[in-house]
Amino acid sequence: MTTSRRALLSGFLAMPLVPLSAAAAVGQDAPLLPLTRACADGDEPTPAREAGPFFKPNSPLKQDLYPDAPRGERITIAGYVLDDRCRPTPRSLVEIWQADENGEYDRQGFRLRGHQFADEQGRWWFNTIVPALYPGRTRHFHFRVQRPGGDVLTTQLFFPGEPGNARDRIFDETLLMTISPAGDGRFGRFDFVV
């Protein structure tokens, strides 16, 4: 029996908060899903990518986007917002916008657009759909992330194994989500370092 997205999200939310640098120092096992490379290896923060032509300000406070496209394949995306020392940053703004199941963006309203604030442990998540492909781009989500008092990171997250990744000029392998199958869709994971 395949685990559901809800069960995977519940497992993510139940993980104890252990400062990542402390876990490494005492030799504890790594988290179940890998961290973004920028945090794990001390490089630069999560790379920025262009917002594209479909960004709209003032998205609604909303985590459940899938009702906007009920025929789309469901996915839950989750992760942490971390600082450059791998510490969670509570109350960080996380905003998403994406193409729908037909590869189109809502240009009139806020369909498949929303924002939230990371919880006290720096966790965020959205329930949405897998965006369809459209000409010239590989499958992706757009994000804006801002820790309290910090600069805004605008970036895009990508799906592993997509044939279009190699042809997309904006693609960056450090922006690949970790994707797990679920009985009712998929579960994606990515930690932003800002």
Side-chain angles (χ1 to χ4, degrees):
M1 182 170 170
T2 306
T3 306
S4 71
R5 290 176 304 108
R6 180 178 293 231
L8 290 169
L9 180 59
S10 294
F12 167 72
L13 295 174
M15 287 184 353
L17 179 63
V18 176
L20 302 172
S21 55
V26 296
Q28 292 180 357
D29 291 334
L32 294 176
L33 296 172
L35 295 172
T36 182
R37 291 183 201 163
C39 185
D41 66 10
D43 286 345
E44 296 298 315
T46 300
R49 287 291 174 266
E50 64 185 51
F54 304 116
F55 171 73
K56 289 175 62 176
N58 303 315
S59 68
L61 180 63
K62 178 166 80 166
Q63 285 179 295
D64 292 324
L65 307 179
Y66 65 86
D68 293 345
R71 291 185 308 273
E73 179 187 1
R74 290 188 178 188
I75 185 169
T76 296
I77 313 163
Y80 285 91
V81 179
L82 305 166
D83 68 14
D84 60 0
R85 298 168 114 188
C86 295
R87 296 176 302 197
T89 58
R91 306 297 303 151
S92 293
L93 171 70
V94 182
E95 183 173 12
I96 186 174
W97 67 100
Q98 68 177 87
D100 66 13
E101 69 277 20
N102 299 312
E104 298 174 4
Y105 287 84
D106 180 1
R107 298 181 195 193
Q108 305 301 317
F110 291 99
R111 185 172 177 257
L112 295 172
R113 298 172 185 269
H115 76 271
Q116 64 177 276
F117 294 93
D119 70 10
E120 292 306 312
Q121 295 183 27
R123 298 174 301 197
W124 61 271
W125 63 94
F126 288 99
N127 295 308
T128 188
I129 65 159
V130 174
L133 296 170
Y134 60 90
R137 291 303 316 275
T138 192
R139 201 175 311 275
H140 64 282
F141 293 107
H142 294 269
F143 278 90
R144 285 173 38 114
V145 182
Q146 182 181 25
R147 72 175 185 225
D151 293 332
V152 174
L153 166 69
T154 301
T155 195
Q156 298 178 28
L157 297 185
F158 301 98
F159 288 74
E162 285 288 324
N165 287 352
R167 294 185 304 274
D168 192 314
R169 66 177 178 77
I170 299 172
F171 173 76
D172 183 331
E173 71 178 12
T174 64
L175 296 171
L176 285 170
M177 295 176 287
T178 300
I179 303 289
S180 302
D184 56 352
R186 302 186 203 182
F187 185 85
R189 170 82 191 270
F190 190 88
D191 297 328
F192 293 107
V193 180
V194 294

